[in-house]
C-alpha cells in the first residue's frame, strides 16, 4: 500500500520506518521538499519525498504534524481527502503546563480534524506512541479509534505488518480518552523517569 | 496506618492483600458482617471485619464498591468523611455495552463522590488495576488523581509499601482520563485476549 505522510519530524520518521519495514511504500510530503527528500532517503528505496502539493494517489494519509498543523492541512486538503483514510496522530496538549488539553470542551482533536475535512475517514492512531519507540524494533501498542470500521481495520493491518499491536477501541468518540491519557503520559515523564521512551500499554 | 476498606468483593480483597503485605492494618466493613469477617480472616492477623457502621478511627477509607454504591456511602457518611482521605476506585462503566461511561458530561465519578462528601479528600486510585493483578505479587502501576497533594502523596506511599508503582497525575480533573481509558481497557479484553488480567502501564 502507498501511504502519504505529511511532515518530517520524529513522528513522521518513526511511522515511516515502521511502514517501510512492514513492506509498504511511503511518500513524505513537506513544505520544504529538501527535508522531505532527506527523510525519504533515510527510509530507503521504498520512500520518496515530495513537496506539500496533493494527496492524490494515496489511499492513506498520515498527518504527522502538531495539532494546529494537522487541522490546517485537513482544511486545506478537505476536498481531496473525501473518502480517504486520514490518520490523526496529534496530541492537543498545552505544552506550557502539560496539565490540560487545548481542545474545546467535549471535542477531541480527531473530532476537529473530521469537521475540517468532512467525508474523510479520520482514524486516531499513534498518538500514544513516542517516536523513540517507533524508531526501535519491538512490540508497541497502537490504539485506534474512528467511526468507520473498515478504516480502523486497514490501519490495524498496517500496524500488524509493522510489528505493532493494534488495539481497536471503536468509534471516534473514544479518541478523547486516548488524547487525555497521553496528556498524563507526557506530564509524568519526569516523575517516572520515562525520558520520552515509555509506552502506554495494556500489558499481559 | 489503619485503612478502612468498604466492600468484600475482588477489589477489596486485592487492595486488602497489598496493604497487609505492605505492613498496614486493614478493617473490612460490609453490610454483611460475616462476609467482612471471612475476608478479614483470609487477609490474616492484621485485618479485622466489622459491620458497615462508621468510618471513625480510620484516616484512609477505600470505597471498594461499584459506582452507585460508592456514591451512596459517600452521601451516607458525608459528615464523618470530612478531612479524611477517601479512595475512589470505581469505574462508572455502562456494563451493557462497555462503550460509554454513565457519568454526567464533564464529570468523573471521583467528582461526584467529592460532591457527595464535601470536605473529604477524594483520591482516585486503583481504578485501572484489575483485581487479579492486585492479588498476585509483582509490580503494577497505580494512577493517582486528587486535589490535595498531601493526600495523593499518602496514597502513593501506601502503594510503594505494597510493591506497586504510584503514578501521581495531579488534580482530580484528571480522574476523568483514568476512568475513560479504563473503559477502553475493559472494552477490549476480548480482542487482546486479556482475560481481565492485563494492566494499564506506562512501560519502560
Amino acid at each position: 500500500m502507498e501511504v502519504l505522510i505529511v511532515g518530517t519530524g520524529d513522528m513522521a520518521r518513526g511511522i515511516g520506518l515502521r511502514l517501510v519495514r512492514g513492506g509498504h511504500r511511503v511518500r513524505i510530503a513537506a513544505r520544504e521538499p529538501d527535508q522531505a527528500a532527506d527523510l525519504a532517503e533515510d527510509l530507503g528505496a521504498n520512500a520518496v519525498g515530495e513537496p506539500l502539493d496533493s494527496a492524490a494517489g494515496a489511499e492513506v494519509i498520515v498527518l504527522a504534524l502538531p495539532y494546529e498543523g494537522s487541522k490546517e492541512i485537513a482544511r486545506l486538503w478537505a476536498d481531496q481527502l473525501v473518502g480517504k483514510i486520514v490518520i490523526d496522530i496529534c496530541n492537543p496538549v498545552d505544552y506550557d503546563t502539560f496539565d490540560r488539553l487545548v481542545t474545546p470542551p467535549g471535542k477531541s482533536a480527531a473530532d476537529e480534524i473530521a469537521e475540517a475535512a468532512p467525508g474523510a475517514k479520520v482514524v486516531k492512531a499513534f498518538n500514544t506512541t513516542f517516536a523513540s519507540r517507533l524508531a526501535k524494533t519491538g512490540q508497541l501498542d497502537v490504539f485506534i479509534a474512528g467511526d468507520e470500521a473498515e478504516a480502523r481495520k486497514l490501519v490495524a493491518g498496517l500496524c500488524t505488518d509493522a510489528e505493532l499491536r493494534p488495539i481497536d477501541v471503536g468509534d471516534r468518540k473514544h479518541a478523547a480518552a486516548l488524547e487525555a491519557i497521553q496528556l498524563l503520559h507526557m506530564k509524568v515523564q519526569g516523575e517516572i523517569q520515562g525520558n520520552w521512551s515509555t509506552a502506554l500499554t495494556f500489558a499481559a
Side-chain angles (χ1 to χ4, degrees), chain A residues 85-139:
Chain A
I85 294 173
V86 174
I87 301 182
D88 158 35
I89 73 160
C90 81
N91 283 296
V93 166
D94 176 354
Y95 286 95
D96 289 333
T97 65
F98 281 100
D99 197 48
R100 68 179 194 99
L101 297 172
V102 295
T103 35
K107 265 188 202 170
S108 66
D111 291 336
E112 292 190 273
I113 287 166
E115 281 176 20
K121 297 170 185 167
V122 174
V123 175
K124 189 92 200 177
F126 294 103
N127 79 298
T128 65
T129 55
F130 290 134
S132 62
R133 291 292 281 256
L134 288 168
K136 290 183 198 166
T137 53
Q139 269 288 352

Side-chain angles (χ1 to χ4, degrees), chain A residues 2-37:
Chain A
E2 186 171 276
V3 178
L4 176 63
I5 299 177
V6 181
T8 58
D10 288 343
M11 286 298 291
R13 179 177 295 267
I15 293 169
L17 273 171
R18 292 279 181 163
L19 290 172
V20 165
R21 258 191 242 143
H24 299 285
R25 288 185 309 283
V26 169
R27 289 159 54 192
I28 304 287
R31 289 224 164 84
E32 303 79 11
D34 286 356
Q35 291 184 13

